[in-house]
Amino acid sequence: MSTAMTFQLVMAQFGSSSTKQENLDKAEKALEEATRIHHADIVVFPEAFMSFYQIGTPREQKLEDAEPLDGHFATTMRALAKQYGVWVVFGTRETTEDSDDDRVYNTAVIIDSDGEIVSSYRKTHLYDAFGAKESRDIKPGTALFEPIDTPFGKLGLFVCYELRFPEIARYQALHGADIILVPSGWVRGHVKEQHWETLVTARALENTAYVVAVNQINEFYIGQSLIVDPMGVVVARGDETETLIPYRIDLERVCDVRAKLPSHLHRQAHLYG
């Protein structure tokens, strides 16, 4: 697979609602504008973009909302990716195959410009923190994402809360990731905005890779999506509104930084246990 050294990535910083069709309509508008205005090659939507439920929504309603990856929502997103000739990444609630477990998966899906699902990832580290209990409704995946070759270099991926686990980002880097996508729904709270920027920046710098962290935005989530380059420089940033955030990624930057800062060659893995 040939690789373009530069490509146009667009972060779709949007909040979703409990009505899937509204979210699909929003996705179509975003993809039309991202390709027409920004000439996007890949558009990344946030975690759980398929649907968002307010605190207090009955658990049964949230769980019944889940779909398989051949369900209506993912199938429509596939059709939109093909229609606009663009790669698409988005978060969904995926049904499980376990009849004895009534939880669902928090899944990120990668679709190519032909409308094919090329990979997906079920979030493994769940947000049981700051008073939340994601594991009550979400079943954890059983494996980390395996970085994939694309026309835009090698893509790694993990989801939101997993920013707090440096081992996950390091796994992506050790498996060749040049760019790590992080679909997110970063919840508001005391010093949480500081945590967000610090963690995204650290994961980029320590792995000398681009980190593309796309966040939901509403009264519950902070927005402020970020792209941080391999030297730890914030090169694109969202505000507190729904918006498209374009950035042209240059893979030569990864090569240049790793030549100056070859920390990936200096690991003493035998010491880490």
Side-chain angles (χ1 to χ4, degrees):
M1 179 181 296
S2 61
T3 300
M5 293 310 292
T6 68
F7 65 94
Q8 188 77 343
L9 183 144
V10 173
M11 297 190 292
Q13 178 178 281
F14 290 109
S16 54
S17 75
S18 60
T19 304
K20 293 178 188 175
Q21 189 57 51
E22 289 182 5
N23 302 329
L24 287 170
D25 291 344
K26 188 176 288 188
E28 179 167 16
K29 183 174 185 293
L31 292 175
E32 190 279 328
E33 292 184 0
T35 52
R36 176 175 53 85
I37 298 172
H38 302 298
H39 308 290
D41 296 302
I42 180 169
V43 179
V44 186
F45 291 86
E47 175 185 16
F49 179 73
M50 182 178 82
S51 52
F52 167 76
Y53 287 92
Q54 299 284 348
I55 294 174
T57 300
R59 182 172 185 268
E60 295 72 19
Q61 182 179 344
K62 292 187 289 185
L63 297 180
E64 288 172 1
D65 173 72
E67 295 183 6
L69 295 188
D70 60 357
H72 176 69
F73 193 90
T75 299
T76 304
M77 292 295 282
R78 289 177 60 189
L80 290 172
K82 184 175 183 178
Q83 177 182 346
Y84 291 101
V86 66
W87 285 57
V88 175
V89 182
F90 68 95
T92 185
R93 299 172 189 270
E94 182 191 1
T95 52
T96 71
E97 66 289 338
D98 186 355
S99 60
D100 295 325
D101 193 331
D102 67 353
R103 297 175 296 174
V104 303
Y105 292 118
N106 181 339
T107 301
V109 182
I110 302 177
I111 302 170
D112 69 15
S113 55
D114 292 323
E116 298 298 323
I117 295 177
V118 295
S119 194
S120 63
Y121 168 66
R122 295 166 173 171
K123 187 177 182 181
T124 56
H125 294 59
L126 303 183
Y127 183 60
D128 289 0
F130 294 100
K133 190 75 172 176
E134 187 177 23
S135 63
R136 181 171 179 262
D137 298 333
I138 301 297
K139 181 178 180 178
T142 57
L144 298 180
F145 183 80
E146 295 291 335
I148 59 171
D149 290 310
T150 75
F152 325 113
K154 200 153 194 174
L155 292 184
L157 183 146
F158 55 85
V159 177
C160 196
Y161 180 61
E162 296 178 320
L163 280 164
R164 295 185 182 276
F165 301 88
E167 303 90 342
I168 302 176
R170 180 51 52 92
Y171 183 90
Q172 305 302 304
L174 290 176
H175 287 77
D178 305 301
I179 303 137
I180 302 172
L181 307 179
V182 190
S184 298
W186 200 262
V187 179
R188 297 180 184 277
H190 297 302
V191 304
K192 292 291 295 299
E193 294 180 11
Q194 179 182 344
H195 291 184
W196 169 252
E197 182 160 348
T198 298
L199 290 166
V200 175
T201 301
R203 299 296 85 87
L205 178 56
E206 69 195 3
N207 294 295
T208 55
Y210 282 98
V211 173
V212 177
V214 186
N215 204 12
Q216 286 234 23
I217 176 63
N218 57 25
E219 71 282 0
F220 191 63
Y221 299 120
I222 68 169
Q224 301 180 46
S225 299
L226 295 171
I227 298 177
V228 180
D229 84 354
M231 192 60 88
V233 178
V234 176
V235 293
R237 183 192 301 270
D239 55 21
E240 80 291 359
T241 65
E242 291 195 330
T243 187
L244 295 176
I245 306 157
Y247 184 74
R248 190 155 198 88
I249 287 181
D250 185 353
L251 294 179
E252 287 287 354
R253 177 67 168 159
V254 180
C255 298
D256 291 345
V257 170
R258 288 177 178 173
K260 289 185 286 189
L261 178 61
S263 55
H264 61 296
L265 301 177
H266 299 156
R267 297 179 68 251
Q268 301 292 325
H270 65 285
L271 300 176
Y272 306 153

